[in-house]
Amino acid sequence: MEVQETRVQTDRVFTIPNILSMARLLGVPVFLWLILWPEFGGPKVDGWALLVLALSGVSDYLDGKLARRWNQISSLGRVLDPAADRLYIVSTIVGLTWRGILPWWLTAILVARDAVMGVMILVMRRHGWGPPQVNFMGKAATFNLMYAFPLLLLSDGDGWLNTLAAIFGWAFAGWGTTLYWWAGILYVVQVRRLVRADATAD
């Protein structure tokens, strides 16, 4: 199975899963513009922002599922998929923090985790390896955060629906942040083992 996936990664680029990932990437600036428009004197269009975020979640699910089902796993897709996830998380954090919905301390915790991952990627590149593969824990963390952020955006109001969204939004945010760091620690352990194995081989 691993040999087959490696072969596909080398000679498949323009696949439906990759096109979905590209479309998801194009939606990032649109989403950020929609969420920040009220801060620049524009109307509050959180509904449209939530729609873009929901569509990104659907495409995130589909691109991975279709890639595996149709045997269209590609090296490009393995870069585009986590890149789109990361950019949506970063853009949502920026937007919600700018609007005062997300507290600065939580933003700092999430950004610190990404900084650790950035260091790990640099270490792997130094040893000639690509970025670490996305594991189940990382995907679970992303899904929790992608549920949390729309709910927290929806909580920006005074109605009962806003209150309910805040309760569930903060629950998902707590789980997502915990899993986000847990996945990060697993990546650090993985990179450390690879570096040790490389040093032993030399």
Side-chain angles (χ1 to χ4, degrees), residues 14-188:
F14 293 104
T15 63
I16 291 178
N18 285 352
I19 292 172
L20 287 173
S21 294
M22 292 175 190
R24 192 149 52 102
L25 281 170
L26 292 175
V28 172
V30 176
F31 169 75
L32 189 57
W33 174 69
L34 289 171
I35 199 174
L36 288 178
W37 204 4
E39 296 296 309
F40 296 94
K44 190 176 181 181
V45 287
D46 290 349
W48 287 106
L50 288 170
L51 178 61
V52 173
L53 199 60
L55 291 175
S56 76
V58 172
S59 69
D60 184 28
Y61 170 77
L62 286 177
D63 61 18
K65 189 174 183 64
L66 293 178
R68 290 187 295 271
R69 175 171 292 183
W70 294 346
N71 199 24
Q72 293 184 345
I73 299 172
S74 67
S75 55
L76 177 62
R78 290 177 63 181
V79 173
L80 288 178
D81 184 41
D85 288 345
R86 196 60 39 79
L87 285 174
Y88 267 106
I89 289 176
V90 169
S91 62
T92 308
I93 289 173
V94 169
L96 294 183
T97 305
W98 197 321
R99 285 180 52 173
I101 298 173
L102 205 64
W104 282 100
W105 60 265
L106 182 56
T107 301
I109 290 174
L110 295 173
V111 170
R113 189 271 190 184
D114 282 339
V116 170
M117 284 303 300
V119 172
M120 292 301 102
I121 290 174
L122 290 175
V123 170
M124 294 192 73
R125 284 182 179 175
R126 183 179 178 184
H127 287 265
W129 301 314
Q133 295 186 19
V134 177
N135 58 30
F136 173 77
M137 197 71 66
K139 272 294 183 184
T142 299
F143 275 121
N144 273 274
L145 291 175
M146 293 300 277
Y147 277 117
F149 293 148
L151 288 169
L152 291 176
L153 180 60
L154 188 60
S155 72
D156 189 23
D158 300 320
W160 67 269
L161 182 61
N162 306 105
T163 302
L164 196 62
I167 294 172
F168 283 98
W170 281 111
F172 278 116
W175 276 107
T177 303
T178 302
L179 291 174
Y180 204 48
W181 264 101
W182 192 352
I185 292 171
L186 291 178
Y187 284 133
V188 171

